[in-house]
Amino acid sequence: MKNVILIAVLAITVYSCTSGNQNNAVTADPHQFGVNYDSSANIDAIKATFTDIETFDTLSYVTKYADTVVFHDNGRITNLGENVTTLRQLMSAGLKLKVNPKKYIWGSRFNFKDGTEGDYVYSYITVTFTKGDKSIDVVNFQADKFNKDGKVIEEFIIYDQTGIMELMK
């Protein structure tokens, strides 16, 4: 009889400690409309653009962007052709670029309340610009919006260009 009571107490204890809602779906927080992540194909694409910029490989660089991409370069709106021209100007001025290995890059996926979606990659990096024996480190913040094909359709980039202009003289 003691064994039966012990088994009954044990069964009741196990049952009472088990959540009855284990298989129910979790209701999403109505205030949460996105998630962040630390690795994706889009993040890899942005990292590849850094390599393209360092090597001035504009042929590879343009493959990461949609033909209709809009750049917001320190508030100045440009297109892909104008952006590539700027890279070529840096190269013809004799500048070398190096994205420092310590990079802060993350992505976000948003489901906006209006039903639209957005995939973004954010980069907080330092780029070293060198010409001859002079160099300058430029802190850069960049936000890239991707389309469903994995191409950048909009890029916001903020940095202090004062030192770059001095090197280009």
Side-chain angles (χ1 to χ4, degrees), residues 116-129:
T116 60
E117 298 175 344
D119 284 305
Y120 296 85
V121 172
Y122 307 99
S123 309
Y124 187 77
I125 60 174
T126 302
V127 180
T128 301
F129 291 80

Side-chain angles (χ1 to χ4, degrees), residues 20-108:
N21 295 325
Q22 286 180 7
N23 295 323
N24 292 348
V26 176
T27 304
D29 180 347
H31 303 291
Q32 180 180 342
F33 61 94
V35 294
N36 291 330
Y37 47 88
D38 61 4
S39 63
S40 73
N42 292 345
I43 290 173
D44 291 342
I46 293 303
K47 288 178 180 178
T49 65
F50 298 153
T51 302
D52 294 339
I53 289 170
E54 289 176 339
T55 60
F56 291 110
D57 186 349
T58 56
L59 294 176
S60 176
Y61 178 78
V62 298
T63 63
K64 282 75 169 185
Y65 294 89
D67 294 337
T68 57
V69 63
V70 176
F71 292 89
H72 303 268
D73 189 340
N74 276 337
R76 185 176 68 107
I77 297 175
T78 63
N79 61 32
L80 185 56
E82 293 166 321
N83 186 269
V84 169
T85 297
T86 300
L87 290 175
R88 290 182 177 148
Q89 288 171 343
L90 294 172
M91 184 173 68
S92 66
L95 273 85
K96 296 189 184 309
L97 286 73
K98 179 69 178 160
V99 178
N100 293 341
K102 188 173 183 178
K103 307 174 195 100
Y104 300 98
I105 303 172
W106 69 99
S108 296

